[in-house]
Amino acid sequence: MVQSTKASLYFGNADGFGDWRILIGTNAIKKLKEFRISDTMKFKIVYKKLKELSNGQFSDDNQNRLDGNYSGVPIFEARMQQDLRLVYQIDCVADHDVELLQVGSMSTCLSDIPEVIRIYGIYTHTQLDGIWDAMSHYLSGKGEEYVQRCKYRNKPILPGAKVSVPAIFLRGTYDVIVEPPPLALGDQEMDQLHSFLAANKYVTFSQALLNGLRTTASFGDPAKMTTLQLGHLPQCHCSPQERKIIECTTSCYVLGRSGTGKTTTMLFKMLGIQRARQLRSEDSEDFDIPRPKQIFVTKSRMLANKVEEYFVKLLQSLSLAGCTLEELARLQSRHVDRGLVDDDDVPDAQSGIPQRYSELEDHHFPLFLTFDQLARMIAADILDTDHPEGQRIAKLFMQSHDPEALDAFVSYEVFVNSYWPHFHQRLTKGQDPWLVFGEIMGIIKGSEKSLEFDDGALDKNTYCGLSSRSNPTFSGQREVVYAIYEAYSKLKRQRQHHDVADRTHAILKTLQGGASFKGSQVDFLYVDEAQDNLLIDALLLRLLCNNPEGLFWAGDTAQTISAGSSFRFNDLKAFIHRIEADQASHIVRARAVTPPESFQLAINYRSHGGIVNCAHSVIELISRFWPNSIDHLRAEHGIVDGPKPVFFLGWGKDTIHYQQFFGAPGTRIEFGAQQCILVRNEKAKEKFREQVGDIGLIMTLYESKGLEFNDVLLYNFFEDSSVDLSRWRVVLAAISGMVGGHNRSELQVPAFERDENRYAGICSELKVLYVGITRARKRLWIIDKSDKAEPMKLLWSSRSQIQIGAPGTNVSHLAVSSTAEEWAESGRSFFQHKRSIALGVPTCHPRAFAKAAEAFITCARETPGKEKLQYYRTAADCYVRAADDRKAADAYWDAEEYELAERYRRAEKLKKTVDVPKVESKRISRDCSDELLTVRRPYHCSKNDEK
């Protein structure tokens, strides 16, 4: 299985190329795509040069050294037409079948390693600058042996021909950079270096890639290509650790901070299994080989759709290797701009996914969906059982696309707007509703122990007796939180509402109560961002998979600021282990099950070292004081260093000179699409806008979750903290030595051990701070006028992880304008992440929904294709909430949602209702048709009476 999976993902060079493997970066591929569309002559010239290099033709024109540091790794240019240059280096990269041994941060190769050619980019002569000296210097940090291998050349095949074959080196340690050598570079040069070594992805110039380039014209303007379109590349070069995960043959847990490649490894493992089956079918001509049933599950519909899109593109790229030129000419791009249609508004029936889990067939796999979709599908099957309670439960959840059913679901937004104001002020005073909701969902109702209680929730004694070390957030306030939970449950019952924990408990209770599980189990299950689920969700997911060695769990508990995110991966591992042990006691297996493996990914490919180091110090604080509230991972580090975050001091209420950040005095402030100001909450956002005006993107930390920006200004995070200075001072205990001219003994450090409960709020604060810091890719500014900021400032200063700025300090401006295309792409990103920048209106106001419905009707009338149906559907949902059944009925009719024609009956438009089954009988279910036909009798009777 491992060997076939490897073979399915890895290619050699394109047809006609030589022995030197060509690894080409995404920047160079984008340039080739542009040439393919706009200048085919240049495309052919570059292709010819790549072919020459692959055949080892290192003439003077093909190997002119760019770097001036002859002691480092050589960087070369190959001259092409007139001013065109190809920039590359000779590298040493293990092949896919090389065996690796990982010991700590050292990767030891157990096989031989060949030389390869790594293409950095295609440039004009005037575009070549001094960055190549820095590149050479940085790469030399891999060690003297690596440098010498990159310089080495085999003797020419023929004397004087300057043609050689790649050398193959003996096994040994390679590709290790623990601490990159220091570089005296400006911010722009650092950005370039980070782009080449971290953001740029390298793939083999294979026949599949070449054929993909030949079909580039179908994508249109290269400048408007999305990242996915440029990134669906076969055989991305993975790190040794990533390869071990992809080729792992048993279940696994993958932990890593943001940007470390967790989802990428998951995707490539799925791809390898799928492609291996396809190749075996082709080789054996046995088309009855069963398709592996693989399911990718996550909480975000946007993430599920993006991963599916990427998967399909990758699979197409891999398949292109065997296409002829004639077949390529017939291929058309399947990329369609769907407009601003919310994926969560699209009914499952329109997505091609059955409404019932039991209706899934082989051709539906691999399947990419959200946990919510999966739970609805299972609930729909339970509805057909003879279990009365199961039927009642299923009706609550399966019709969740009905607006009224959606309104009965308690999300965090519903909780804070519709529940929180009704709780007694003595309970809510000083409490954060976000943290309380998370405690209710994740601990009281969503923990493993909640499965032991009939009502699916911990009783008061059990909750109040929880360990303060493993559950520190409300360790001193458990009775208050439980009182809020009781008030919430009472109000929820009165309103006949339900939440995510109710749903999972209900399904599990039905299945464990004897109801049969309909449909076949899957072979491989992949759960991404696992920490966003409740722990009890893991049991339901595990019941879906028939293969105890086919589970893949990935996530990051350092970012558990989602409501209900309250467990560590160690908790998940222990829970799954107990589930496996229980199943093993009831099932006789042909062989022993291999225990799952655990992996950590510690290289951040998104942010540079300056930001990563600052963020990691926050993780260290959590691990030091609350070791049981977070999973312990190896220290995260960036590929290259970068500018340290700037912490500004001396900014009082009257001294904040915003123009210093946003532009020259007297000029119009104009933000770009990749700059953002982060504030604590909505109140802080409104206050900031009053001070500086409508200058660009101002978001709360909660809104920013899942987004990234080149530049971030973190404003008054500590000022708006609900935790006072005396508790923030606990972080000073992590300082060693002198700081600011003071010894640690002079800093008035509180004794954490004397009253650990008092400082529990700092744990949650630090997790939110970590999210804020890691939104920045390139630059981070921190402005705070509160004394509460001083402890963290002193800690960062003691570790040289920040720069200190004062009023008048010369800093680069945050305000940088963007093009219309960049703003459009940014807007689409916000839409997909469900982030609204404009001020909204209360969601309970009928006039607001009516106005929104009118806007969607306008969009539908102006939109061609299938998207217009979804706009009509969304408009209808808004009209329902606006209590306008007549307009809702018209909109559902225009959306071709005939099963919702009952709205016509409510609005007494009987004639049109009666026409529905007559006109659209083939597109409506039997149950709905029967229900609507009952309207015919009184309608026709009334017509006869009139006659």
Side-chain angles (χ1 to χ4, degrees):
M1 181 64 171
V2 177
Q3 293 302 322
S4 60
T5 301
K6 288 182 181 180
S8 68
L9 286 176
Y10 303 107
F11 288 115
N13 279 340
D15 297 344
F17 275 49
D19 294 332
W20 286 83
R21 185 153 67 103
I22 303 292
L23 294 179
I24 185 167
T26 46
N27 288 341
I29 292 170
K30 182 174 182 179
K31 182 64 69 175
L32 277 171
K33 285 178 180 283
E34 293 176 5
F35 290 162
R36 176 62 179 162
I37 293 173
S38 60
D39 195 332
T40 55
M41 180 59 69
K42 285 185 178 179
F43 177 84
K44 292 178 181 178
I45 290 172
V46 176
Y47 171 76
K48 180 182 178 183
K49 185 61 64 174
L50 290 171
K51 195 170 184 179
E52 288 179 4
L53 291 175
S54 76
N55 284 287
Q57 297 178 20
F58 297 112
S59 62
D60 292 342
D61 280 348
N62 283 355
Q63 193 172 220
N64 180 50
R65 190 157 179 176
L66 283 175
D67 60 291
N69 178 17
Y70 284 86
S71 62
V73 173
I75 307 294
F76 300 106
E77 67 170 346
R79 295 188 179 93
M80 295 182 287
Q81 179 196 45
Q82 299 174 349
D83 203 27
L84 210 56
R85 302 289 187 270
L86 192 72
V87 178
Y88 69 95
Q89 77 156 108
I90 303 299
D91 203 350
C92 301
V93 175
D95 285 329
H96 70 270
D97 56 352
V98 164
E99 214 178 329
L100 298 169
L101 176 64
Q102 188 83 19
V103 180
S105 63
M106 306 289 284
S107 296
T108 300
C109 183
L110 304 182
S111 304
D112 298 335
I113 306 174
E115 288 181 313
V116 300
I117 296 174
R118 186 181 297 273
I119 307 295
Y120 288 116
I122 302 166
Y123 306 94
T124 62
H125 182 67
T126 55
Q127 291 174 328
L128 299 175
D129 50 30
I131 190 63
W132 308 114
D133 287 338
M135 176 78 79
S136 172
H137 177 69
Y138 179 87
L139 292 174
S140 66
K142 295 187 178 185
E144 184 60 28
E145 182 180 3
Y146 173 78
V147 174
Q148 294 305 316
R149 288 181 174 185
C150 292
K151 290 180 177 181
Y152 181 81
R153 295 294 180 280
N154 274 328
K155 292 181 179 180
I157 299 174
L158 298 173
K162 294 188 177 180
V163 177
S164 61
V165 296
I168 298 178
F169 299 103
L170 299 176
R171 64 184 65 178
T173 301
Y174 72 103
D175 202 19
V176 177
I177 300 180
V178 179
E179 289 293 334
L183 296 171
L185 297 176
D187 291 354
Q188 185 175 355
E189 288 79 10
M190 280 293 188
D191 286 347
Q192 284 182 279
L193 202 59
H194 184 263
S195 175
F196 284 125
L197 296 173
N200 216 9
K201 307 301 180 185
Y202 296 88
V203 300
T204 299
F205 195 86
S206 63
Q207 190 62 38
L209 175 59
L210 178 58
N211 287 345
L213 290 169
R214 285 171 172 164
T215 59
T216 282
S218 63
F219 286 107
D221 184 358
K224 297 180 180 180
M225 291 176 187
T226 66
T227 303
L228 277 174
Q229 287 173 321
L230 290 171
H232 61 89
L233 306 168
Q235 196 193 341
C236 281
H237 178 61
C238 302
S239 70
Q241 184 71 348
E242 290 170 335
R243 283 176 47 200
K244 288 187 68 176
I245 297 170
I246 294 169
E247 295 166 7
C248 177
T249 59
T250 187
S251 294
C252 63
Y253 300 92
V254 178
L255 287 82
R257 306 303 181 210
S258 178
T260 54
K262 301 182 297 296
T263 305
T264 300
T265 58
M266 186 175 285
L267 177 62
F268 272 86
K269 182 165 186 175
M270 290 186 72
L271 187 69
I273 291 173
Q274 183 76 12
R275 179 69 174 158
R277 178 261 178 189
Q278 182 179 337
L279 291 177
R280 287 199 301 272
S281 297
E282 293 172 358
D283 293 342
S284 65
E285 296 185 357
D286 180 6
F287 298 103
D288 293 330
I289 296 177
R291 180 194 294 262
K293 291 184 174 65
Q294 302 190 89
I295 291 186
F296 174 94
V297 181
T298 186
K299 289 289 285 186
S300 164
R301 175 77 77 99
M302 185 275 296
L303 177 59
N305 287 350
K306 285 297 181 185
V307 172
E308 180 176 19
E309 182 181 353
Y310 194 12
F311 180 91
V312 171
K313 296 290 187 182
L314 282 165
L315 200 60
Q316 290 174 347
S317 296
L318 290 167
S319 300
L320 285 174
C323 292
T324 65
L325 291 175
E326 291 75 16
E327 290 171 331
L328 290 172
R330 291 194 296 268
L331 287 177
Q332 297 296 324
S333 171
R334 296 184 181 180
H335 174 72
V336 177
D337 186 354
R338 297 182 57 243
L340 294 183
V341 174
D342 192 337
D343 292 324
D344 284 333
D345 288 338
V346 180
D348 292 342
Q350 292 183 13
S351 68
I353 300 175
Q355 290 185 303
R356 287 172 166 78
Y357 182 83
S358 61
E359 295 174 355
L360 287 173
E361 300 177 6
D362 281 356
H363 67 84
H364 289 116
F365 296 96
L367 190 61
F368 301 81
L369 75 177
T370 66
F371 181 79
D372 291 338
Q373 287 177 285
L374 188 60
R376 285 200 303 270
M377 293 167 69
I378 296 171
D381 276 326
I382 293 175
L383 185 64
D384 291 337
T385 67
D386 296 329
H387 197 288
E389 179 66 10
Q391 292 181 357
R392 185 192 69 79
I393 291 165
K395 287 180 180 178
L396 288 175
F397 309 127
M398 70 170 292
Q399 297 295 338
S400 63
H401 279 301
D402 184 289
E404 293 178 352
L406 280 172
D407 291 338
F409 177 74
V410 183
S411 63
Y412 169 70
E413 288 73 19
V414 173
F415 176 81
V416 73
N417 293 316
S418 300
Y419 280 78
W420 192 259
H422 293 277
F423 301 149
H424 199 288
Q425 190 174 4
R426 66 179 173 78
L427 298 177
T428 59
K429 185 178 181 180
Q431 301 291 352
D432 186 330
W434 175 257
L435 296 177
V436 172
F437 186 71
E439 188 80 354
I440 293 173
M441 293 298 109
I443 303 299
I444 296 177
K445 301 184 68 175
S447 61
E448 178 184 1
K449 204 166 188 63
S450 68
L451 294 169
E452 301 173 8
F453 294 84
D454 291 337
D455 63 351
L458 306 183
D459 60 24
K460 185 175 180 179
N461 289 335
T462 303
Y463 175 66
C464 293
L466 293 176
S467 166
S468 60
R469 295 191 67 84
S470 57
N471 300 276
T473 308
F474 292 102
S475 58
Q477 302 172 300
R478 297 211 194 281
E479 292 196 4
V480 173
V481 172
Y482 202 85
I484 295 175
Y485 158 69
E486 290 177 321
Y488 163 70
S489 297
K490 180 179 179 180
L491 188 56
K492 181 163 62 71
R493 283 194 300 271
Q494 293 172 355
R495 296 178 175 181
Q496 294 186 320
H497 287 180
H498 62 273
D499 54 41
V500 289
D502 294 330
R503 179 185 60 194
T504 302
H505 275 297
I507 294 174
L508 288 172
K509 185 178 294 186
T510 304
L511 292 176
Q512 294 174 333
S516 60
F517 184 82
K518 296 188 176 182
S520 59
Q521 292 176 298
V522 300
D523 304 309
F524 298 94
L525 176 70
Y526 306 82
V527 185
D528 199 10
E529 301 296 350
Q531 79 280 352
D532 288 342
N533 293 296
L534 305 179
L535 192 57
I536 57 173
D537 295 339
L539 175 56
L540 178 57
L541 290 168
R542 178 61 190 89
L543 293 175
L544 288 180
C545 187
N546 61 20
N547 179 11
E549 297 178 342
L551 303 163
F552 191 133
W553 308 85
D556 173 19
T557 52
Q559 298 190 72
T560 51
I561 69 169
S562 298
S565 300
S566 301
F567 69 85
R568 301 168 302 148
F569 260 71
N570 283 340
D571 301 328
L572 175 63
K573 291 178 187 178
F575 185 31
I576 297 298
H577 176 76
R578 285 188 281 272
I579 294 173
E580 298 296 349
D582 180 65
Q583 290 196 350
S585 65
H586 296 89
I587 300 174
V588 178
R589 302 189 185 277
R591 63 176 181 84
V593 175
T594 306
E597 292 193 43
S598 295
F599 299 95
Q600 294 184 16
L601 294 172
I603 300 176
N604 191 309
Y605 296 99
R606 186 176 297 151
S607 302
H608 58 66
I611 292 170
V612 170
N613 293 339
C614 181
H616 182 68
S617 66
V618 177
I619 299 298
E620 287 183 327
L621 287 173
I622 300 173
S623 300
R624 175 189 178 110
F625 294 109
W626 302 277
N628 296 314
S629 68
I630 192 172
D631 293 292
H632 297 277
L633 307 181
R634 294 198 309 272
E636 178 187 12
H637 63 276
I639 293 289
V640 299
D641 202 2
K644 299 173 184 177
V646 182
F647 200 121
F648 287 90
L649 299 177
W651 299 86
K653 293 182 179 179
D654 302 322
T655 61
I656 300 180
H657 304 296
Y658 298 104
Q659 292 285 3
Q660 179 170 354
F661 297 95
F662 308 140
T667 63
R668 179 177 178 271
I669 300 173
E670 181 180 359
F671 260 55
Q674 287 301 321
Q675 287 78 42
C676 183
I677 298 171
L678 294 183
V679 295
R680 171 70 70 154
N681 49 38
E682 287 293 337
K683 183 179 179 180
K685 182 197 292 187
E686 293 173 10
K687 182 178 179 181
F688 192 84
R689 284 201 185 279
E690 290 175 0
Q691 293 174 319
V692 300
D694 192 10
I695 63 173
L697 305 183
I698 304 176
M699 306 183 77
T700 68
L701 286 158
Y702 170 64
E703 289 172 331
S704 73
K705 183 74 164 63
L707 299 176
E708 298 130 16
F709 302 91
N710 287 342
D711 307 322
V712 168
L713 173 63
L714 186 59
Y715 180 73
N716 270 359
F717 173 86
F718 302 95
E719 167 74 12
D720 297 323
S721 171
S722 59
V723 178
D724 59 35
L725 173 60
S726 64
R727 285 181 285 175
W728 270 110
R729 295 185 68 84
V730 74
V731 305
L732 297 173
I735 294 177
S736 58
M738 297 282 292
V739 57
H742 302 283
N743 288 315
R744 180 178 177 278
S745 58
E746 302 172 357
L747 296 177
Q748 300 179 358
V749 182
F752 174 76
E753 295 78 8
R754 291 181 182 176
D755 190 0
E756 295 184 13
N757 293 343
R758 183 171 184 268
Y759 304 100
I762 296 293
C763 180
S764 299
E765 289 288 287
L766 291 174
K767 287 189 176 183
V768 177
L769 178 59
Y770 176 81
V771 170
I773 293 171
T774 54
R775 297 313 92 198
R777 296 192 195 101
K778 297 182 179 180
R779 283 169 289 274
L780 173 67
W781 293 273
I782 303 172
I783 295 182
D784 210 293
K785 59 189 179 185
S786 172
D787 291 341
K788 291 185 283 188
E790 187 69 11
M792 282 303 301
K793 188 267 295 183
L794 288 175
L795 174 68
W796 281 324
S797 296
S798 71
R799 301 180 178 188
S800 300
Q801 291 176 335
I802 57 172
Q803 304 176 59
I804 300 298
T809 302
N810 184 24
V811 296
S812 56
H813 292 153
L814 180 62
V816 179
S817 61
S818 294
T819 64
E821 289 79 9
E822 290 171 332
W823 273 115
E825 183 64 25
S826 180
R828 182 174 295 277
S829 174
F830 291 137
F831 182 85
Q832 291 170 336
H833 282 82
K834 302 182 184 297
R835 303 296 192 264
S836 175
I837 304 304
L839 292 177
V841 293
T843 57
C844 58
H845 203 302
R847 284 183 298 173
F849 281 114
K851 191 172 183 64
E854 292 169 6
F856 280 112
I857 291 291
T858 301
C859 290
R861 290 169 179 166
E862 297 175 354
T863 303
K866 294 182 178 180
E867 286 72 40
K868 81 160 50 186
L869 299 181
Q870 185 52 49
Y871 286 130
Y872 278 124
R873 163 82 190 220
T874 306
D877 293 347
C878 290
Y879 278 131
V880 170
R881 288 183 170 91
D884 192 335
D885 282 351
R886 186 176 295 271
K887 288 185 177 180
D890 290 336
Y892 279 128
W893 179 272
D894 292 332
E896 299 180 9
E897 289 287 345
Y898 302 113
E899 291 208 20
L900 291 168
E902 184 184 359
R903 302 295 179 196
Y904 287 91
R905 184 175 61 181
R906 290 189 184 185
E908 297 183 356
K909 295 182 68 174
L910 297 181
K911 177 63 173 69
K912 206 163 191 180
T913 305
V914 171
D915 286 343
V916 171
K918 204 163 72 176
V919 176
E920 297 292 338
S921 60
K922 294 182 179 180
R923 302 180 60 177
I924 195 167
S925 70
R926 180 183 298 274
D927 292 342
C928 185
S929 180
D930 291 342
E931 183 180 359
L932 293 174
L933 284 171
T934 61
V935 183
R936 287 192 182 193
R937 296 185 184 90
Y939 171 76
H940 284 296
C941 289
S942 65
K943 298 300 288 184
N944 290 333
D945 289 343
E946 290 175 8
K947 292 180 180 179

